[in-house]
Every structure is written in structure tokens, then in C-alpha cells.
Amino acid sequence: MPAGVILITMKIAFFETEPWEEEYLKDKLRGNETDFFSERIDKDNMPEKLDYDAISVFTNCEVNKEVIEAFPNLKFISTRSTGYDHIDLAVASKKGITVSSVPSYGENTVAEFAFALMLNLSRKIFSSYDRIKESGSFDLSGLQGFDLKGKTLGVVGTGRIGKHVIKIAKGFDMDVLAFDAYPDDKLTTEYGVKYVAFEELLGQSDIITFHVPELPSTFHMLNTENIGLIKKGAIIINTARGSVIETTALVKALDKGAIGGAGLDVLEEEVFTKDKKDFLIDGKPKEHNLETILQNQLLVDMDNVIITPHNAFNTKEAIMRILDTTILNITAFLSGTPQNEVKAK
């Protein structure tokens, strides 16, 4: 919609919502016609009604060309996430559809979760809990961990989340190396962060944590060719996107003991992992990497790997910030002054 053109109300469909979110959004968007769906949307999961002016989606949705073209009146797409790789921006732009995101909602939220994974692995918290829960044994054998103090943390990506990770790391008295396509000199001055080449970060870090978006340049950043550079016994944390790490390389390195452990809130082929029943009954194997799906199961079964269900963002406070920004994005679009727009590059 061109800037300055003002709509009064819209028909809006929200996907991947919970009942309490529906209640909140309905109240804040009174006057608009709103429908809510707990399921994600993709080309194989479309609503019966398609005359919506706007759709609001979340990270598991796949808003590709087929989905966009199925809505004849679509003018606006609002994703309730910072990332927007699940939306075909080129198609949206070609059809004059505005796309908005939530650029900031949980830098502290995701950073705290990354440290929860680090502490869980470094102090073998889950293994300790599981031993007592399953056997009642208080035997300490095999449960010795290591301090974070004095260790080197490699932060890959120093945007909003990466910056907060660095702040927390300094509270633990850790040394910090960083890699980013656009280094932030303020972090060097304020926190003593040393920016290095990615390969050097891999070789010198005791823990490596990823905080980069999904882009062609970040696809399989850690891969078969460079994973061997990692310091033996180092731990990998990924709360960014599954595609940042090549699953095959990670599985092999963990199996050989080259890497000490991994804390993963995201996986390649994550959608399958969440929707196994749907995939097995109605899925299209050719659209998925079956080798990666099997390797994910190997990761799940490894004692030195912790996998969580893309949960790093999921606090009450963060969700409220997401919803409030989404409401502002919708009302701004209605007023003819879209905000937080994302466009095809």
C-alpha cells in the first residue's frame, strides 16, 4: 500500500496463535475483522476463507509464492518474529504487499537462554537431574563440569542478542572473541571484545555461540570444511537458525569426541521434528532432507547434546513485546505509515 493511503479496517488472519493471544489481539484490534488459527500456514495448510487483507504469521509458517498468490486481496504481511526468511519477500514486493517484522523483542530473553544451555552443559545439570530422577543415585562419577570464569566465549554475530550475550559473559568473567561482518567498535571499547576472523574464533574459543540471521552468507557457516578447526572439547550453542550449522558435520564431530557438547534450540529440518505425525501421514519426502532428519534423531540420543524446541524466545515478557509491536505494525499500516518494513535485497 502506498504511503499516505489510509485504510479504516482490515480483514486479518492470525496463524500459530494461542487462545490467550487471540483474546489480547482481538481486544487491541477492535473494529477489524480478525480470525485466528492455531495451525501454521503453508501451501498445504490453507484456510478455507482467502479474502483477507492482511495475515500475521510466526516462524513455522511458510509464506511462499503459492501462499501469497492464493490471497487475492492481500496487502500486508506481519510476521511476529525478527527473522523473515519464511516469507518470499521478492514475490510480496512484486505484488505491492508490505511486510513488517518485529526487529527487537527479546535480546535479553534469547541471551539468557543461551547461557542456560551453556550452564546446563558446562555443569552437566541435566545429566545430574536425570541420574537422580531415574535411579535415585547421588553418585558424582562422570558429573564433573567446568567453570565459565576465565574461559573464552566466541560470539558469532554481535547484533542485539549477541551484544547482550557479551554483557552477560563479562558478568561471568569470561574473555570474549567475536566475529561479525560489521564489527562494533563500542563493544571493543566498553567490554574488551576482540574481533577476529571466523576461523580464528573457532580455534580459540572454549564455547561458541551463534547469533546470526538466516542469510545466504550464514548458511552452513559451520561445516565439514571448517569444523575441524574447533578447539577439542569446545561446546557449541545455537539459538539462531538451524541452517547456520551443517548437521552432518556436527554429528560427526560429536561422535568422534572432537566437540565436547552442543546446546541446540534450533535444527535443520525443524518443521519435520515438530510435526512428525503430519509428515509421516501427509508429508512429501522429496521436499525434505531425509538424511538430516535421521541425523537430528542421532543428536537427540547423544548424552552431551541438549535440544530444546525453539524455545529461547518464549517468555511471557517477550511474547507481550512481540504482540504489542505487531499491533503497532498493523495500526501503522492502517494509518498509511508502515513501520518496521522488511524488503527483498
Side-chain angles (χ1 to χ4, degrees):
M1 183 180 71
V5 175
I6 300 174
L7 296 176
I8 299 174
T9 62
M10 289 194 298
K11 292 182 179 181
I12 312 169
F14 291 84
F15 297 91
E16 279 195 279
T17 56
E18 297 183 10
W20 75 268
E21 294 175 306
E22 176 179 343
E23 183 179 346
Y24 185 78
L25 289 163
K26 270 187 175 178
D27 179 64
K28 297 296 183 180
L29 294 168
R30 286 190 303 271
N32 293 282
E33 184 179 322
T34 52
D35 291 330
F36 294 85
F37 303 87
S38 60
E39 303 84 7
R40 67 191 183 97
I41 187 174
D42 60 32
K43 63 183 177 63
D44 298 315
N45 299 282
M46 297 291 290
E48 291 184 9
K49 189 168 67 172
L50 297 170
D51 62 338
Y52 295 106
D53 303 300
I55 59 173
S56 176
V57 300
F58 200 46
T59 53
N60 289 321
C61 297
E62 295 180 22
V63 188
N64 61 11
K65 184 176 186 290
E66 291 177 77
V67 171
I68 292 172
E69 292 184 342
F71 293 97
N73 302 330
L74 193 61
K75 305 174 185 67
F76 182 54
I77 301 171
S78 175
T79 182
R80 302 187 307 280
S81 60
T82 299
Y84 41 85
D85 49 276
H86 51 297
I87 300 171
D88 192 325
L89 295 180
V91 172
S93 177
K94 186 176 180 180
K95 294 182 70 67
I97 297 168
T98 301
V99 181
S100 289
S101 70
V102 181
S104 176
Y105 68 87
E107 49 263 35
N108 70 292
T109 307
V110 177
E112 289 169 14
F113 196 91
F115 267 87
L117 292 174
M118 289 181 212
L119 288 165
N120 210 318
L121 287 164
S122 67
R123 300 304 303 272
K124 302 191 176 180
I125 292 172
F126 178 77
S127 297
S128 301
Y129 166 81
D130 190 57
R131 178 173 296 181
I132 292 175
K133 189 77 172 179
E134 295 300 318
S135 67
S137 171
F138 280 71
D139 179 17
L140 298 181
S141 60
L143 296 179
Q144 187 176 80
F146 63 86
D147 292 344
L148 294 187
K149 181 179 179 179
K151 297 299 186 297
T152 297
L153 178 66
V155 180
V156 183
T158 55
R160 291 185 176 96
I161 296 171
K163 288 176 184 177
H164 209 89
V165 166
I166 290 166
K167 291 179 183 179
I168 297 175
K170 286 301 175 178
F172 278 94
D173 205 10
M174 301 180 80
D175 296 321
V176 178
L177 297 177
F179 170 78
D180 197 291
Y182 304 96
D184 186 341
D185 293 337
K186 291 182 181 179
L187 293 176
T188 299
T189 303
E190 189 171 356
Y191 296 104
V193 173
K194 181 182 178 183
Y195 279 94
V196 296
F198 183 56
E199 292 75 13
E200 185 177 348
L201 181 146
L202 295 180
Q204 296 188 19
S205 301
D206 299 296
I207 301 172
I208 301 164
T209 182
F210 288 87
H211 303 286
V212 292
E214 185 171 52
L215 298 168
S217 60
T218 62
F219 179 76
H220 285 181
M221 283 186 74
L222 186 62
N223 54 56
T224 302
E225 299 300 319
N226 59 25
I227 201 165
L229 299 174
I230 293 179
K231 180 190 293 188
K232 184 175 175 60
I235 285 174
I236 293 173
I237 305 294
N238 189 9
T239 57
R241 286 290 186 267
S243 64
V244 169
I245 298 175
E246 182 186 355
T247 306
T248 298
L250 180 62
V251 168
K252 288 181 178 179
L254 286 163
D255 185 58
K256 293 177 181 177
I259 293 174
L264 309 171
D265 189 49
V266 288
L267 297 168
E268 292 191 282
E269 291 293 351
E270 183 175 298
V271 171
F272 164 80
T273 306
K274 292 182 178 181
D275 299 310
K276 288 181 181 178
K277 181 179 178 182
D278 290 344
F279 176 82
L280 291 172
I281 295 174
D282 302 315
K284 297 175 175 58
K286 290 182 180 179
E287 297 178 5
H288 296 268
N289 187 322
L290 299 182
E291 182 180 0
T292 298
I293 290 169
L294 292 172
Q295 289 170 339
N296 283 342
Q297 190 57 53
L298 291 176
L299 290 172
V300 169
D301 293 337
M302 288 182 175
D303 292 336
N304 58 345
V305 176
I306 295 174
I307 295 176
T308 51
H310 205 143
N311 196 42
F313 75 96
N314 193 17
T315 66
K316 180 72 172 182
E317 295 85 353
I319 297 299
M320 289 305 300
R321 288 191 288 268
I322 289 172
L323 295 182
D324 287 338
T325 302
T326 297
I327 291 163
L328 289 174
N329 286 346
I330 291 170
T331 55
F333 179 79
L334 280 166
S335 70
T337 55
Q339 66 174 23
N340 298 321
E341 285 187 77
V342 291
K343 299 180 179 181
K345 296 180 180 179

